[in-house]
Amino acid sequence: MNKNSSNIMALVPNTSNKRETVCIFGTGDFGRALGHKLIQSGYPVVFGSRSTQISSLIPKDAEVLSHAEAAQKAAIIIIAIQRQHYNFLTSLAEVLRGKVLVDISNNLKINQYPDSNAEYLAQLVPGAKVVKAFNTVSAWALQSGTLDASRQVFVCGDDIEAKQMVMDIVRALGLTPLDQGSLLAAQEIENYPLQLFPMWKFPILLSLGLTAFFFFYCLIRDVIYPYVYENKDVSFFIAISIPNQICPVLALILLALVYLPGVLAAIIQLYRGTKYRRFPDWLDKWMLCRKQLGLVALAFASLHVLFTLVIPIRSFVRWRISSQTISQVLNNKTEPLDTTNAWLSDSYLALGILGFFLFVLLGITSLPSVSNNVNWREFRFVQSKLGYLTLVLCTAHTLVYGGKWFLSPSSYRWYLPHSYMLSLIIPCIVLVVKFVLIFPCLDKPLTRIRQGWERNPQYSE
Amino acid sequence: MNKNSSNIMALVPNTSNKRETVCIFGTGDFGRALGHKLIQSGYPVVFGSRSTQISSLIPKDAEVLSHAEAAQKAAIIIIAIQRQHYNFLTSLAEVLRGKVLVDISNNLKINQYPDSNAEYLAQLVPGAKVVKAFNTVSAWALQSGTLDASRQVFVCGDDIEAKQMVMDIVRALGLTPLDQGSLLAAQEIENYPLQLFPMWKFPILLSLGLTAFFFFYCLIRDVIYPYVYENKDVSFFIAISIPNQICPVLALILLALVYLPGVLAAIIQLYRGTKYRRFPDWLDKWMLCRKQLGLVALAFASLHVLFTLVIPIRSFVRWRISSQTISQVLNNKTEPLDTTNAWLSDSYLALGILGFFLFVLLGITSLPSVSNNVNWREFRFVQSKLGYLTLVLCTAHTLVYGGKWFLSPSSYRWYLPHSYMLSLIIPCIVLVVKFVLIFPCLDKPLTRIRQGWERNPQYSE
Amino acid sequence: MNKNSSNIMALVPNTSNKRETVCIFGTGDFGRALGHKLIQSGYPVVFGSRSTQISSLIPKDAEVLSHAEAAQKAAIIIIAIQRQHYNFLTSLAEVLRGKVLVDISNNLKINQYPDSNAEYLAQLVPGAKVVKAFNTVSAWALQSGTLDASRQVFVCGDDIEAKQMVMDIVRALGLTPLDQGSLLAAQEIENYPLQLFPMWKFPILLSLGLTAFFFFYCLIRDVIYPYVYENKDVSFFIAISIPNQICPVLALILLALVYLPGVLAAIIQLYRGTKYRRFPDWLDKWMLCRKQLGLVALAFASLHVLFTLVIPIRSFVRWRISSQTISQVLNNKTEPLDTTNAWLSDSYLALGILGFFLFVLLGITSLPSVSNNVNWREFRFVQSKLGYLTLVLCTAHTLVYGGKWFLSPSSYRWYLPHSYMLSLIIPCIVLVVKFVLIFPCLDKPLTRIRQGWERNPQYSE
């Protein structure tokens, strides 16, 4: 009753089973888990093992034979053994001739060996057809039936028929095979499960660096300066006030960095007069991690929102407001409402809210299942039009926040401008250049270049 | 090391390649990108081109031949040419007889031509089997390997075997083919990439209209009235106070409009005594965009939450609270706690929080990947039971917000009631009718009608 | 123009139709909807019915024949009839011999009959090959083309070829077949659409129980105690103050309960010296619903955030702050800033914000479409490393919140400690045990056990 839907399963069908026997070499964790799942899906399974003593851990319906005997029973042999024990397979070369060997091994480090395990296997048993598969699936997930993480199985191999047979098995297990080409892809497939967010490395390192810089910048301006000149201890600013300066600054800078490479690419294309020359490598890499940059920017923006909304709950703020009120009373003067101030305060808040709202919308659209359901025109509309609108709103929010004190000399401490001024540099550059690029005299040639036109065509069709 | 997982790829397999040669007519952007991807996936590719001079942009492993020569080498020919250049294909009619022609073209406008490009192609080369495919995929996405947007490829064609061959290629490229039926579907498939959120048009236009109406309504009541009668300048209300009236009003009205068509449908079915007659067209259309209406309502509700939470940060609000405190001090009176007030204030906030929380839950369930993992009973439970609970909570939130001033004459300005009163009309109607429909004397016949019973059966099985 | 993309469809292809005829027994809602969809996808459809009078509701392009005649025309017969009418099929045994019968029926209750409908059908018509499919799809969704809920079709059957034929049809309709094994799985497949969030039952019941307990606990301490001893009516605390105590308490306890079973499992494995013995059943079940526990905890945390952020808007809070200010003025004393207080207040807020931020990140990663795009190493990193960091931050947030009053006698009312102290028990236990398990003397043997090492090996390979 309390079972998970993915647990829906059945024992071996007892009639008209036409699925081909699968042989598994090795009775370790993964071999057993895979055997179990194969039996559930209707495949007869035979294990090849050094010792044919049947362990209670091996699925009941599976046979356990010697390696040679087991191999003879099946056309497909799954090698659930570690690379360092592959050597003994050379002695079985005769039996394995023409068979499909499925390499499911993983390494402990990226690029641990000069060649991939699958290529090494193919070289050891030249008569067999080697297919790489299943290395991205976890034994625990196979066993428990809860595939919370990926169901994708990368498959590669030189023999297309062998690959097709393996992909059919993958599908029968309820997983999604992804053909990655020839066995040359095995190296990358073996590295894949060892990766830890490779696309996020640059955005996260960049934001850590910027965070550290702005932390010390704000520390000097907002904590050390008042301590030195006014002997005020406001070290508690480290907890909220300073993070709430760093977060919006980083959100704005990173968001601008999402749109900067597009602007640079347009300038390069205009300058070269063709789109058929590759961009510099750094620009290519930058363009590929724009989504990640944007999401990190969104994370900082969300933190900024939370830090801002708790302001009225902070005991320091309550004390400050209360003492301002008290001092007004004691001085027996009532301040009238400053309408300009009210306008400035309300509009920077409203701009910030709208900017953040659009930013969250952009983030939702980048969810894989949402972006899968929009066509390219819609995707570009959201990511480019709405994206620029977000940048405009957030930049305006920061500009209006500065308000009357913007560029006033009293806001400089030790000649250091307020951090929000520094954060405005890149966004303003991006917006100005983008604005210039919209002018017809630049937009028209750019559109033509992007449609394939060349100023100095060198290659004719 | 810094590579994207989707970049996992390999060169042409050098052994036992059994994949059939694919021919591509046209060496433009999309033809080249597709050729590149096909070669990566193990297909031999031959380009058919007017000039057989090899450009450096064409993938190295591809041959470039004349159109006729190239066509003879393959069973499948991808036509990567624009519709206006299709004419020359008639001269190749003999060579193309029995071949599979894949039309990948797109138009610039919806319904640009009376017939679809694929049907036009089928008519030009009657001996060939035309299949429409790939038009929803972008060349840039194919090339960069980052398929952030959709991986879905709509396929249609009259010949089922030809369609199957094309769908196999689509799968081999790591994309998802979706069979859309015969070539008659080509028109819609060609229009698809040109669409810009067609399902969102009505909800967005409706909400823009309502926003404009309520903006001027609030402007008159809250800015112009005090200016005329009290000569107070509160024009800064435009930034936050008025948006924060419009957003909740629209959220509530749109949420009620999500449930209104269901209620209307029930009344129509009860009146007609059968479910086998079609609803009026407007009701059908309305029911199909309920999800979009609900999500727009959620957007307004989220904005309302943000606008509300910044209230204590607004400089106007701080000034008002401070001057109230000061005037209390100067009048030397301390107000005791008004418990009724505290109850009202706390309960409308609590109702709003719970309503918004359920609303966000509804939004999350409508994410494609989440709704894919629930069964129909669960989906209906969330969307109907939780949906109505959300509507009840939000309506109660608005009613309690009115509190003591509800319907008091002083809240009318120029005979205009407060905007939140207007927003209550539709939700209350929906809830009252729904409440009536729950009574057994109406619920029982409705359930029977929905199970297929007819009061005056006209068609017998 | 206003059409949905999923409505892309076409009429019967008029040429070279090679799809096999499908027969449907029964002309009810689901039979007709399926027939309509099959015709759209290019299948010739013939209905078998008691009366061959053609109703206007049956798709135009379908034939309607007697059951026997219809069955002879097709290899696949979809039984769109309710189980109680299956009996008449025995009379057709001769005609149905060797045919594929697709059972699409559902029951009204879980485990309504001792055997599944599909097995009952197989027993009634022993000569036919029975396949269970389509029971999870709704007729309304098929007809309207808006498959908002699941596209998954569970398929099971003893005959693998028959199953394959049915799965091909499922794919052709744009749905996703999931092979669930032999016909024994039919019982679970038939129960599936009747389930209502089975994995959520335990977490929701647990949190409801805890909510009730803490509600009365807080009611006694915070409403009844002041009423009895100070004769103060603060019953309005029920609306916000008490929920805002319950929510964080439950969020913290439930989050700790997500990590407790992992810690218990480690202790059991260390004690037993092997990973090859099954955990007790309750621990297995607990581990399978950790994701749901975590998401319920996140829901409570989100409510806590909303309840906290509205604090400054509450009329009670405004009154309290204003009267504090007034009493300060009247006593003519200005309080200096208490730096310790400012530090405590700011750091517990900052810890809470960071903890909530990471918590939301964890929630986003558990969205199916996101977790599908990360590999196992990344998934474990997020769910384990970031998860523990979240637990540490949230526990620290609660500890600092207590601040100076932590364990001070005045915070006990009727010997009852403040609810947040109770909430700290489980998280602190989990964190302390986890901290102990990190020490090399325990971590090393645990890692070896998890790699397959056994202290007292009983089974040799």
Side-chain angles (χ1 to χ4, degrees):
Chain A
M1 201 175 74
N2 225 7
K3 271 183 201 155
N4 184 3
S5 67
S6 21
N7 276 337
I8 293 180
M9 50 174 73
L11 304 177
V12 210
N14 43 6
T15 55
S16 64
N17 197 322
K18 284 165 203 146
R19 289 213 157 131
E20 278 192 43
T21 303
V22 174
C23 168
I24 300 174
F25 275 13
T27 55
D29 272 13
F30 197 78
R32 288 200 308 271
L34 203 55
H36 205 78
K37 194 83 186 170
L38 282 166
I39 289 171
Q40 273 174 19
S41 307
Y43 288 93
V45 169
V46 55
F47 280 95
S49 170
R50 273 167 298 163
S51 129
T52 59
Q53 204 188 324
I54 292 175
S55 147
S56 67
L57 295 164
I58 288 178
K60 281 182 219 137
D61 299 286
E63 260 184 293
V64 182
L65 302 172
S66 76
H67 286 120
E69 285 173 316
Q72 274 160 344
K73 291 223 172 181
I76 294 188
I77 297 153
I78 295 172
I79 311 293
I81 301 171
Q82 286 176 307
R83 178 188 172 120
Q84 50 266 44
H85 305 130
Y86 279 5
N87 295 323
F88 86 96
L89 291 170
T90 48
S91 62
L92 296 169
E94 229 16 74
V95 191
L96 299 179
R97 185 171 307 281
K99 304 273 183 187
V100 178
L101 301 190
V102 187
D103 184 301
I104 63 168
S105 61
N106 271 324
N107 294 325
L108 295 173
K109 281 186 293 184
I110 284 185
N111 292 328
Q112 193 172 5
Y113 299 100
D115 56 343
S116 68
N117 300 351
E119 285 166 302
Y120 173 63
L121 179 63
Q123 180 203 317
L124 277 181
V125 197
K129 301 160 191 167
V130 174
V131 174
K132 179 90 209 175
F134 287 115
N135 69 315
T136 54
V137 181
S138 114
W140 189 82
L142 272 180
Q143 244 164 342
S144 69
T146 52
L147 282 162
D148 278 337
S150 182
R151 286 162 189 272
Q152 296 182 339
V153 173
F154 297 110
V155 180
C156 78
D158 287 338
D159 187 283
I160 283 174
E161 247 173 42
K163 202 154 60 174
Q164 207 61 52
M165 286 165 75
V166 175
M167 286 167 77
D168 284 344
I169 294 179
V170 171
R171 266 189 217 102
L173 301 188
L175 304 165
T176 313
L178 283 180
D179 190 345
Q180 299 296 320
S182 80
L183 212 55
L184 288 171
Q187 186 91 18
E188 288 220 33
I189 296 181
E190 285 171 13
N191 284 340
Y192 176 70
L194 299 167
Q195 288 174 341
L196 194 60
F197 299 110
M199 300 295 289
W200 292 86
K201 218 181 209 170
F202 170 66
I204 285 176
L205 285 180
L206 178 70
S207 54
L208 284 181
L210 286 172
T211 303
F213 168 75
F214 279 106
F215 177 74
F216 289 111
Y217 190 90
C218 295
L219 196 71
I220 290 170
R221 262 188 56 99
D222 296 335
V223 176
I224 297 177
Y225 182 94
Y227 189 77
V228 169
Y229 281 83
E230 309 167 29
N231 203 16
K232 275 205 297 188
D233 175 16
V234 285
S235 58
F236 59 86
F237 276 12
I238 291 172
I240 293 195
S241 302
I242 290 183
N244 202 19
Q245 280 185 54
I246 298 172
C247 287
V249 162
L250 259 87
L252 190 57
I253 292 180
L254 291 176
L255 183 60
L257 288 181
V258 171
Y259 293 97
L260 187 53
V263 165
L264 289 180
I267 294 173
I268 290 176
Q269 285 180 341
L270 269 177
Y271 174 77
R272 289 180 177 168
T274 175
K275 70 164 180 180
Y276 294 123
R277 273 167 61 203
R278 288 201 52 180
F279 293 125
D281 233 37
W282 55 267
L283 191 57
D284 259 348
K285 276 189 187 162
W286 190 352
M287 292 183 95
L288 282 175
C289 69
R290 283 181 292 180
K291 180 178 159 182
Q292 283 75 15
L293 272 173
L295 289 175
V296 173
L298 177 56
F300 279 106
S302 311
L303 282 174
H304 168 49
V305 168
L306 285 173
F307 278 123
T308 303
L309 292 178
V310 298
I311 285 178
I313 309 177
R314 290 174 63 194
S315 99
F316 164 68
V317 174
R318 286 190 172 165
W319 169 83
R320 205 184 50 194
I321 290 175
S322 154
S323 35
Q324 279 168 0
T325 310
I326 292 170
S327 80
Q328 275 187 49
V329 172
L330 297 180
N331 296 330
N332 217 345
K333 71 163 187 213
T334 41
E335 253 172 37
L337 174 63
D338 179 348
T339 320
T340 320
N341 232 2
W343 256 111
L344 278 175
S345 146
D346 277 14
S347 23
Y348 102 77
L349 288 172
L351 285 168
I353 287 171
L354 291 177
F356 180 66
F357 174 76
L358 284 183
F359 210 160
V360 170
L361 217 66
L362 285 177
I364 291 173
T365 341
S366 74
L367 280 176
S369 72
V370 175
S371 62
N372 244 329
N373 279 291
V374 298
N375 67 35
W376 268 94
R377 198 178 157 215
E378 294 163 346
F379 189 71
R380 262 195 315 249
F381 174 80
V382 171
Q383 295 293 330
S384 162
K385 297 272 162 60
L386 288 194
Y388 266 108
L389 187 54
T390 309
L391 185 58
V392 169
L393 285 171
C394 292
T395 312
H397 164 69
T398 315
L399 281 168
V400 177
Y401 167 76
K404 297 186 276 194
W405 313 281
F406 195 65
L407 296 184
S408 99
S410 71
S411 66
Y412 290 83
R413 293 172 174 178
W414 283 333
Y415 305 105
L416 297 176
H418 203 283
S419 53
Y420 77 84
M421 293 185 199
L422 298 184
S423 78
L424 280 167
I425 299 169
I426 302 179
C428 288
I429 292 175
V430 171
L431 288 177
V432 166
V433 176
K434 180 74 190 174
F435 182 70
V436 169
L437 284 173
I438 288 173
F439 280 105
C441 58
L442 289 174
D443 187 47
K444 265 190 195 161
L446 190 58
T447 309
R448 278 166 67 205
I449 287 168
R450 290 201 171 148
Q451 284 165 350
W453 175 82
E454 292 181 87
R455 204 185 296 133
N456 312 303
Q458 301 185 332
Y459 314 103
S460 59
E461 199 205 331
Chain B
M1 198 174 78
N2 224 5
K3 272 181 199 157
N4 184 4
S5 67
S6 20
N7 277 338
I8 293 180
M9 51 173 72
L11 304 177
V12 209
N14 43 5
T15 56
S16 64
N17 196 323
K18 284 163 201 146
R19 288 215 157 129
E20 278 192 42
T21 303
V22 174
C23 167
I24 300 174
F25 275 14
T27 55
D29 272 12
F30 196 79
R32 289 200 308 270
L34 203 56
H36 205 77
K37 193 83 187 169
L38 281 165
I39 289 169
Q40 273 174 18
S41 307
Y43 288 92
V45 169
V46 55
F47 280 94
S49 170
R50 272 167 297 162
S51 130
T52 59
Q53 204 188 323
I54 291 177
S55 146
S56 68
L57 296 162
I58 287 178
K60 279 182 223 139
D61 300 285
E63 261 184 294
V64 182
L65 302 172
S66 77
H67 286 120
E69 284 173 316
Q72 274 161 346
K73 291 223 172 182
I76 294 187
I77 297 152
I78 295 172
I79 312 293
I81 302 172
Q82 286 177 308
R83 178 189 172 119
Q84 51 267 43
H85 306 130
Y86 278 6
N87 295 324
F88 86 96
L89 292 171
T90 49
S91 63
L92 297 169
E94 229 17 72
V95 192
L96 299 179
R97 184 172 307 282
K99 304 273 183 187
V100 177
L101 300 191
V102 186
D103 184 300
I104 63 169
S105 61
N106 271 322
N107 295 325
L108 295 173
K109 280 186 294 183
I110 285 186
N111 292 327
Q112 191 173 5
Y113 299 99
D115 55 344
S116 67
N117 300 351
E119 286 166 301
Y120 173 65
L121 179 62
Q123 181 202 319
L124 277 181
V125 196
K129 302 161 191 165
V130 173
V131 174
K132 179 89 210 174
F134 288 114
N135 69 316
T136 54
V137 180
S138 114
W140 188 82
L142 271 180
Q143 242 164 344
S144 69
T146 51
L147 281 163
D148 278 337
S150 182
R151 286 163 188 271
Q152 296 182 339
V153 173
F154 297 110
V155 180
C156 78
D158 287 339
D159 187 285
I160 284 174
E161 247 174 44
K163 201 154 62 175
Q164 208 60 52
M165 286 165 75
V166 174
M167 286 167 77
D168 284 344
I169 293 179
V170 171
R171 266 188 218 103
L173 300 189
L175 304 164
T176 312
L178 283 179
D179 189 347
Q180 299 296 320
S182 79
L183 212 55
L184 288 170
Q187 186 92 19
E188 289 220 32
I189 296 180
E190 286 172 12
N191 284 338
Y192 177 71
L194 299 166
Q195 289 174 342
L196 194 60
F197 298 110
M199 300 295 288
W200 292 86
K201 218 181 209 169
F202 170 66
I204 285 176
L205 285 179
L206 178 70
S207 53
L208 284 182
L210 286 173
T211 303
F213 169 75
F214 279 106
F215 177 74
F216 289 111
Y217 190 90
C218 294
L219 197 71
I220 290 170
R221 261 188 57 100
D222 296 335
V223 176
I224 297 177
Y225 182 94
Y227 189 77
V228 169
Y229 281 83
E230 309 167 28
N231 202 17
K232 275 207 295 191
D233 175 15
V234 286
S235 59
F236 60 86
F237 275 12
I238 290 172
I240 294 197
S241 302
I242 289 182
N244 201 18
Q245 278 185 55
I246 297 172
C247 287
V249 162
L250 259 86
L252 190 57
I253 292 179
L254 291 175
L255 182 61
L257 289 181
V258 171
Y259 293 96
L260 187 53
V263 166
L264 289 179
I267 294 173
I268 290 176
Q269 285 181 340
L270 269 177
Y271 175 77
R272 288 180 177 168
T274 176
K275 70 161 180 179
Y276 293 123
R277 273 166 60 203
R278 289 201 53 179
F279 293 125
D281 234 36
W282 55 267
L283 189 57
D284 260 346
K285 276 189 186 161
W286 190 351
M287 291 183 95
L288 282 175
C289 69
R290 283 182 292 180
K291 181 178 159 182
Q292 283 75 13
L293 272 173
L295 289 175
V296 173
L298 178 55
F300 279 106
S302 311
L303 282 175
H304 168 49
V305 168
L306 286 174
F307 278 123
T308 303
L309 292 178
V310 298
I311 285 178
I313 310 177
R314 291 174 61 194
S315 99
F316 164 68
V317 174
R318 286 189 172 167
W319 169 84
R320 205 183 52 194
I321 290 174
S322 154
S323 35
Q324 278 168 2
T325 310
I326 292 170
S327 80
Q328 276 186 49
V329 171
L330 296 179
N331 297 331
N332 215 344
K333 72 162 186 211
T334 41
E335 253 173 37
L337 174 63
D338 179 349
T339 321
T340 321
N341 232 3
W343 256 112
L344 279 174
S345 145
D346 277 14
S347 23
Y348 102 77
L349 287 172
L351 286 168
I353 287 171
L354 291 177
F356 180 66
F357 174 76
L358 285 183
F359 210 159
V360 170
L361 217 67
L362 287 177
I364 292 173
T365 340
S366 75
L367 281 175
S369 73
V370 175
S371 61
N372 244 329
N373 279 292
V374 298
N375 66 36
W376 267 94
R377 199 178 156 215
E378 295 164 346
F379 188 71
R380 262 196 314 249
F381 174 81
V382 172
Q383 295 293 330
S384 161
K385 296 272 160 62
L386 288 194
Y388 267 109
L389 187 54
T390 309
L391 185 58
V392 168
L393 285 172
C394 293
T395 311
H397 165 69
T398 314
L399 281 168
V400 177
Y401 167 76
K404 296 186 278 196
W405 312 281
F406 196 66
L407 297 183
S408 98
S410 71
S411 65
Y412 290 83
R413 292 171 175 178
W414 282 333
Y415 303 104
L416 297 176
H418 202 282
S419 54
Y420 76 85
M421 294 185 198
L422 299 184
S423 78
L424 280 167
I425 299 168
I426 301 179
C428 287
I429 292 174
V430 171
L431 288 177
V432 166
V433 176
K434 180 73 189 175
F435 182 70
V436 169
L437 285 172
I438 288 173
F439 280 105
C441 57
L442 288 173
D443 188 46
K444 266 190 195 161
L446 190 59
T447 309
R448 279 166 67 206
I449 286 168
R450 288 199 174 152
Q451 284 165 351
W453 175 82
E454 291 180 87
R455 204 185 295 134
N456 312 304
Q458 301 184 334
Y459 314 103
S460 60
E461 199 206 332
Chain C
M1 200 174 77
N2 224 6
K3 269 181 202 157
N4 183 4
S5 67
S6 21
N7 276 338
I8 293 179
M9 50 174 74
L11 304 177
V12 209
N14 43 5
T15 55
S16 64
N17 196 321
K18 283 164 202 146
R19 289 215 156 131
E20 278 191 43
T21 303
V22 174
C23 167
I24 300 175
F25 275 15
T27 54
D29 273 12
F30 196 79
R32 289 199 309 270
L34 203 55
H36 204 78
K37 195 82 187 169
L38 281 166
I39 288 169
Q40 275 174 17
S41 307
Y43 288 92
V45 169
V46 54
F47 280 96
S49 169
R50 271 166 298 162
S51 128
T52 58
Q53 204 188 326
I54 292 177
S55 146
S56 67
L57 295 163
I58 288 179
K60 278 181 223 139
D61 300 285
E63 261 183 294
V64 182
L65 303 172
S66 76
H67 286 120
E69 285 173 315
Q72 274 161 345
K73 292 222 171 181
I76 295 187
I77 298 152
I78 295 172
I79 311 293
I81 302 172
Q82 285 176 308
R83 178 188 171 121
Q84 49 267 42
H85 306 130
Y86 278 5
N87 295 323
F88 87 95
L89 292 170
T90 49
S91 63
L92 296 169
E94 228 18 71
V95 191
L96 299 178
R97 185 171 306 283
K99 304 274 184 186
V100 177
L101 301 190
V102 186
D103 185 300
I104 63 170
S105 61
N106 271 324
N107 295 324
L108 295 172
K109 279 186 296 184
I110 284 186
N111 291 328
Q112 193 174 4
Y113 298 99
D115 55 344
S116 67
N117 300 352
E119 285 167 303
Y120 174 65
L121 179 63
Q123 180 203 318
L124 278 181
V125 196
K129 302 161 190 166
V130 174
V131 173
K132 180 89 210 175
F134 286 115
N135 69 313
T136 54
V137 180
S138 114
W140 189 82
L142 271 180
Q143 245 165 341
S144 70
T146 52
L147 281 163
D148 278 336
S150 182
R151 287 164 188 270
Q152 297 182 338
V153 174
F154 296 110
V155 180
C156 78
D158 288 339
D159 189 283
I160 283 173
E161 247 173 44
K163 203 154 59 176
Q164 208 61 52
M165 286 165 73
V166 174
M167 286 167 76
D168 284 343
I169 293 180
V170 171
R171 267 189 218 102
L173 301 188
L175 304 164
T176 313
L178 283 181
D179 189 345
Q180 299 295 319
S182 79
L183 212 55
L184 288 170
Q187 186 91 18
E188 288 219 34
I189 296 180
E190 286 172 12
N191 284 339
Y192 176 71
L194 299 166
Q195 289 174 341
L196 193 60
F197 298 110
M199 300 296 289
W200 291 87
K201 218 180 208 170
F202 170 66
I204 285 175
L205 284 180
L206 178 70
S207 54
L208 283 182
L210 286 172
T211 303
F213 170 75
F214 279 106
F215 177 74
F216 289 111
Y217 190 90
C218 294
L219 197 71
I220 290 170
R221 262 189 57 99
D222 296 335
V223 176
I224 297 177
Y225 182 93
Y227 189 76
V228 170
Y229 280 82
E230 307 168 28
N231 204 16
K232 275 205 297 191
D233 176 15
V234 285
S235 59
F236 60 86
F237 276 12
I238 290 171
I240 293 195
S241 301
I242 289 183
N244 201 19
Q245 278 186 55
I246 297 172
C247 286
V249 162
L250 258 86
L252 190 56
I253 292 179
L254 292 176
L255 182 61
L257 288 180
V258 171
Y259 292 98
L260 187 52
V263 165
L264 289 179
I267 294 174
I268 291 176
Q269 284 180 341
L270 269 177
Y271 174 76
R272 287 180 178 169
T274 175
K275 71 163 180 179
Y276 293 122
R277 274 166 60 203
R278 289 202 52 180
F279 292 126
D281 233 37
W282 54 267
L283 190 56
D284 260 348
K285 276 188 187 163
W286 190 352
M287 292 183 96
L288 282 175
C289 69
R290 283 181 292 181
K291 179 179 160 183
Q292 283 75 14
L293 272 173
L295 290 175
V296 173
L298 178 56
F300 280 105
S302 311
L303 282 175
H304 169 49
V305 168
L306 286 173
F307 278 123
T308 303
L309 292 178
V310 299
I311 285 178
I313 310 177
R314 293 173 61 195
S315 98
F316 164 68
V317 174
R318 286 189 173 167
W319 169 84
R320 205 183 52 194
I321 290 176
S322 154
S323 35
Q324 278 168 1
T325 310
I326 292 170
S327 81
Q328 276 187 48
V329 172
L330 297 180
N331 296 330
N332 216 344
K333 69 160 187 212
T334 41
E335 252 173 38
L337 174 62
D338 178 348
T339 320
T340 321
N341 232 3
W343 255 113
L344 279 174
S345 146
D346 278 14
S347 23
Y348 101 77
L349 288 172
L351 285 167
I353 287 171
L354 291 178
F356 180 67
F357 174 76
L358 284 183
F359 211 161
V360 170
L361 216 67
L362 286 178
I364 292 173
T365 340
S366 75
L367 281 176
S369 73
V370 175
S371 63
N372 243 330
N373 279 291
V374 298
N375 66 35
W376 267 94
R377 197 176 160 217
E378 294 164 346
F379 189 72
R380 261 194 316 251
F381 174 81
V382 171
Q383 295 293 330
S384 162
K385 296 272 161 62
L386 288 194
Y388 267 108
L389 187 54
T390 309
L391 185 58
V392 169
L393 286 170
C394 292
T395 311
H397 164 68
T398 315
L399 281 168
V400 177
Y401 167 74
K404 296 186 278 195
W405 313 281
F406 195 65
L407 296 183
S408 98
S410 71
S411 65
Y412 291 83
R413 292 173 175 177
W414 284 332
Y415 305 104
L416 298 176
H418 203 283
S419 55
Y420 76 85
M421 294 186 199
L422 298 183
S423 79
L424 280 167
I425 298 169
I426 301 179
C428 288
I429 292 175
V430 171
L431 289 178
V432 166
V433 176
K434 181 72 190 176
F435 182 70
V436 170
L437 285 173
I438 288 172
F439 280 104
C441 59
L442 288 173
D443 187 46
K444 265 191 196 161
L446 190 59
T447 308
R448 280 167 65 206
I449 286 168
R450 289 198 172 152
Q451 284 165 351
W453 175 83
E454 292 180 87
R455 204 187 295 136
N456 312 302
Q458 301 184 333
Y459 316 101
S460 58
E461 200 204 331

